[in-house]
Amino acid sequence: MSIDFSLDSEQRTLQRHAREFAHEYLRGATAKVAELPTPAERFLGTRPVYEEMVRAGFLRRLIPEAVGGQGKGLIDMAIVTEEFHAIDASLSLTLLANLLGLMPLFLAGSPDQIQRFVGPFLEPQGSLLAALCNTEPGGSANYGAPAPAVGVRTTAAIAGDDWLINGEKKWMNAAGWDGEGADLLCVVCRT
């Protein structure tokens, strides 16, 4: 059985759109951001380019159709990633990392959760960021890792009408600084 790696007409259009966008918006942008003095300023300096990605429909194009986006699968993501990374491997990570933060909702979110939390990311403007909060101090992101690993220690418990999350995370994509980071945090924890 052979595998056909030819792109269909819709995929070729996506490739052309991503290539044109990358040449117009990504070329040279990292060098400008790299000149900013602090990590927080460099992170914030990427937001205008990310806003253009959202405006151009790339985030919506990578969110699966099943939850309201236009994404038709991993080939679409690979096409956008290849075209963006050919010009700048840094700035496009903000776009792709959003999918990490939204993935738990794509996989297991209720219809209400998808509408409430994914819905705003489908809008063609703004710079909403989603973060996956998984890795903990000690280096483990494996929920039930056997000793000597520590597994996931962050806990969540019902507190009235809310959940109380208690624990630490070591790394989160798009976490940002001083309230300028992710708008949605998907936290891996034990209940």
Side-chain angles (χ1 to χ4, degrees):
M1 178 174 146
S2 63
I3 299 173
D4 182 4
F5 288 103
S6 301
L7 302 180
D8 64 27
S9 63
E10 189 175 346
Q11 291 166 332
R12 283 193 305 277
T13 299
L14 174 62
Q15 182 183 45
R16 196 169 34 257
H17 183 214
R19 184 175 295 157
E20 290 167 0
F21 180 91
H23 281 276
E24 183 174 349
Y25 291 98
L26 300 181
R27 187 176 302 282
T30 294
K32 291 176 192 168
V33 172
E35 295 172 359
L36 297 172
T38 68
E41 289 173 290
R42 289 190 292 274
F43 175 75
L44 294 174
T46 66
R47 293 297 275 264
V49 174
Y50 173 65
E51 287 175 359
E52 289 299 327
M53 289 178 194
V54 171
R55 189 174 296 114
F58 288 106
L59 181 58
R60 184 178 182 85
R61 181 59 194 253
L62 298 181
I63 293 174
E65 286 181 330
V67 295
Q70 297 172 325
K72 297 190 185 312
L74 291 176
I75 292 176
D76 286 359
M77 186 183 307
I79 291 168
V80 172
T81 301
E82 180 179 38
E83 295 303 326
F84 283 10
H85 276 61
I87 301 301
D88 185 299
S90 237
L91 290 172
S92 58
L93 290 177
T94 302
L95 174 73
L96 299 170
N98 263 306
L99 300 174
L100 284 175
L102 294 170
M103 190 63 65
L105 291 161
F106 299 162
L107 296 174
S110 69
D112 177 60
Q113 289 170 326
I114 290 169
Q115 181 180 359
R116 285 178 40 220
F117 299 119
V118 177
F121 286 85
L122 298 171
E123 296 300 320
Q125 73 276 338
S127 60
L128 291 177
L129 297 172
L132 177 63
C133 308
N134 193 15
T135 306
E136 297 191 355
S140 180
N142 300 320
Y143 180 81
V150 293
V152 173
R153 295 172 297 204
T154 301
T155 61
I158 294 177
D161 291 336
D162 297 315
W163 285 87
L164 177 62
I165 298 174
N166 188 359
E168 284 183 73
K169 296 299 180 181
K170 185 174 182 173
W171 178 87
M172 298 171 282
N173 64 293
W177 292 267
D178 299 327
E180 293 291 341
D183 302 282
L184 175 69
L185 301 174
C186 282
V187 182
V188 175
C189 50
R190 292 179 184 269
T191 58

